[in-house]
Amino acid sequence: MSPLEPFGARLRRAMDERGPLCVGIDPHASLLAEWGLDDDVAGLERFSRTVVEAVADRVAVLKPQSAFFERFGSRGLAVLEKSVQEARAAGALVVTDAKRGDIGSTMAAYAESFLHPDAPLFSDALTVSPYLGYGSLSPAVALARESGAGLFVLALTSNPEGGEVQHAVRADGRSVGATMLAHLAAENAGEEPLGSFGAVVGATLGDLSTYDLDINGPLLAPGIGAQGATPADLPRVFGPAVRNVVPNVSRGVLRHGPDAGALRGAAERFAAEIRAAVAGV
């Protein structure tokens, strides 16, 4: 295996050159309908191709949500495969949002599916769930290091249900979410200019000053746009770690389709607003 340059280094460069924006590819049935598309494989393919063609040459990251492709079975996965490959060919980094989490050989197989360079669905990074214990992610961590890919680990998510697990306090007095951040800081120790093991931290969570978000790795931040957070909120939520935040916008960009020019314009506006907010810190 010939590894790529580490994901963290590639991400830092993409964010500096293109702005720190991740655009989600979330082909909900309702969005397909808004675009005048049928809720079928043809509609899925048209939607995904349009987004990739419109913005993959100008945004740092594209994040397809695997579930919306998987619901169409093997033909939907074929669309995902093509979308990932075409987005990467256009210069965007691809984070496949599949939130995989298991143990042993099963976790290793998930890792092989998305993080091995020879895999059809190879992505620059993968979202994973650590709630079978952080150590259960070891096969994915090892393969990501070997291939030059990255991981985004669910740590402090924006959904209200997440708190019952992530804010639970361990016997040592540290919350589960804080424990995940500490594991990631250890993975990224000494890496320059940025580690490859990131956390998912919701932009809608308000004051996170009690958490150490400076993990020397990226923070994938859902919640900008339709969920209520704005670019101007980022410095308040993330503090000094805002320099490593990758804000995710999905519906805020996608609702401007199917016109490619409108999609590009929306992505460029968000990128400019995020860059300005981060630059002010």
Side-chain angles (χ1 to χ4, degrees):
M1 182 189 302
S2 298
L4 297 168
E5 181 184 15
F7 172 70
R10 293 184 289 124
L11 178 62
R12 175 80 276 159
R13 184 167 58 249
M15 292 168 66
D16 291 345
E17 292 176 355
R18 296 185 172 200
L21 175 65
C22 169
V23 173
I25 306 179
D26 295 0
H28 300 263
S30 59
L31 262 177
L32 294 177
E34 287 179 28
W35 280 35
L37 300 173
D38 292 330
D39 187 22
D40 57 17
V41 173
L44 176 74
E45 185 172 20
R46 174 71 181 276
F47 182 96
S48 301
R49 185 190 309 117
T50 299
V51 176
V52 169
E53 291 179 351
V55 304
D57 65 342
R58 63 197 63 216
V59 302
V61 181
L62 281 175
K63 183 176 72 65
Q65 169 47 258
S66 180
F68 294 116
F69 296 83
E70 291 177 36
R71 69 193 184 100
F72 293 105
S74 61
R75 294 175 65 199
L77 285 172
V79 175
L80 175 60
E81 179 182 323
K82 186 175 182 180
S83 298
V84 169
Q85 293 171 356
E86 291 183 348
R88 295 188 72 238
L93 298 177
V94 173
V95 176
T96 295
D97 192 356
K99 298 183 177 70
R100 296 301 196 246
D102 215 303
I103 61 172
S105 60
T106 309
M107 189 67 237
Y110 281 138
E112 290 277 342
S113 299
F114 296 97
L115 301 174
H116 194 288
D118 294 334
L121 287 169
F122 175 72
S123 305
D124 297 285
L126 174 70
T127 60
V128 291
S129 174
Y131 295 109
L132 288 171
Y134 183 83
S136 67
L137 301 178
S138 294
V141 171
L143 184 54
R145 285 195 187 281
E146 186 179 357
S147 66
L151 297 177
F152 283 100
V153 177
L154 303 180
L156 298 168
T157 57
S158 57
N159 63 306
E161 304 89 348
E164 68 185 46
V165 174
Q166 296 156 21
H167 299 320
V169 178
R170 293 159 29 106
D172 63 3
R174 189 164 58 179
S175 73
V176 173
T179 300
M180 298 308 159
L181 293 170
H183 280 301
L184 292 166
E187 299 286 3
N188 294 322
E191 296 293 330
E192 295 181 1
L194 188 67
S196 298
F197 298 94
V200 179
V201 179
T204 57
L205 294 178
D207 184 5
L208 293 174
S209 59
T210 58
Y211 287 92
D212 185 0
L213 299 176
D214 191 6
I215 62 171
N216 191 34
L219 303 170
L220 182 63
I224 301 290
Q227 293 185 45
T230 70
D233 294 326
L234 294 172
R236 175 178 57 84
V237 175
F238 293 95
V242 74
R243 68 189 184 280
N244 294 331
V245 169
V246 188
N248 177 74
V249 180
S250 294
R251 188 174 289 272
V253 170
L254 301 177
R255 65 182 178 83
H256 293 278
D259 181 80
L263 288 167
R264 282 193 290 271
E268 288 168 353
R269 286 192 298 274
F270 272 110
E273 290 176 21
I274 293 166
R275 194 192 291 270
V278 171
V281 175

